[in-house]
Amino acid sequence: MTHKVMQAMRLIEAFAALMRGQRVPITWADRASTNIASGGIVLPRPKTGEAAEVALLTRLAVHETGHLDHTEPLPAGKLTEAAYEYWNAMEDPRMERAQCDTYPGAKIILARGLDEMLVQLDVPTLVEHLPHAAVSLQLLMRGFLTLAPHSPVQRHAPAVLEQTGRVLTQGKIEAIEAAVTRLQRATSSLDVEQIARELDAEMKKPEQPEQQQEQPAEQDQQDQQQDQEEDASSDSACGGDSQDQQPGGESDEDRGEQSQDSSGAS
């Protein structure tokens, strides 16, 4: 471990303690998470101690300590795997909004290093290998755009939404949008839990087959074809009557009657 890396670790530890007004136990590993029960956080161990890396670690420290202040722990096994992922995706932007309301300067720090994180986000691979990734990423991006619209999110979210939207039906996207609308009124993790639970149930509902949705168009085509056949039949009938008429509009029967009248008169 280099001197620069050690300095970076001490800086982050001091910064986290300053944010909370007390020492925050930090476990250095290969990920970022929060242990709400113990009051500690987990952060990726710095590798270089360079400014860009410290900027990202500072952001992660503010984010994870925000969970200590604003997120209530959920009982184990209370949510399905899908519902828990949806809850986690929506709780992050809700919590960051609360963190920014508590510490106005947090908004600047939470935007640091976010560009690099979003650029490295491999959306196609996540969607291919993780069953709920498309929905979770939609919730995460839409949630941040609505509740905590950091400038890097505004730059990168449209591309993420476009890529994940390719594998979701319109009905699922509408259910996600409705969940994010409700998220705006959520004031606690328990509110978000209820939204996630109901969204999970909505996602499991069978959608109306596309064939049934196209039936009105098919019916219009059938009606149009029937009208054309009736018109053709009507034209044919009219054409048969006209063939019995001689030039001048008189039939053979009419001329015969006129001849008999003429003979009687003479």
Side-chain angles (χ1 to χ4, degrees), residues 19-30:
M19 285 288 298
R20 296 208 72 209
Q22 63 184 62
R23 180 180 177 275
V24 179
I26 298 179
T27 301
W28 296 100
D30 58 355

Side-chain angles (χ1 to χ4, degrees), residues 197-208:
R197 191 189 305 278
E198 294 177 7
L199 178 62
D200 183 29
E202 189 70 25
M203 289 294 167
K204 291 175 180 176
K205 288 182 180 179
E207 294 199 50
Q208 185 179 15

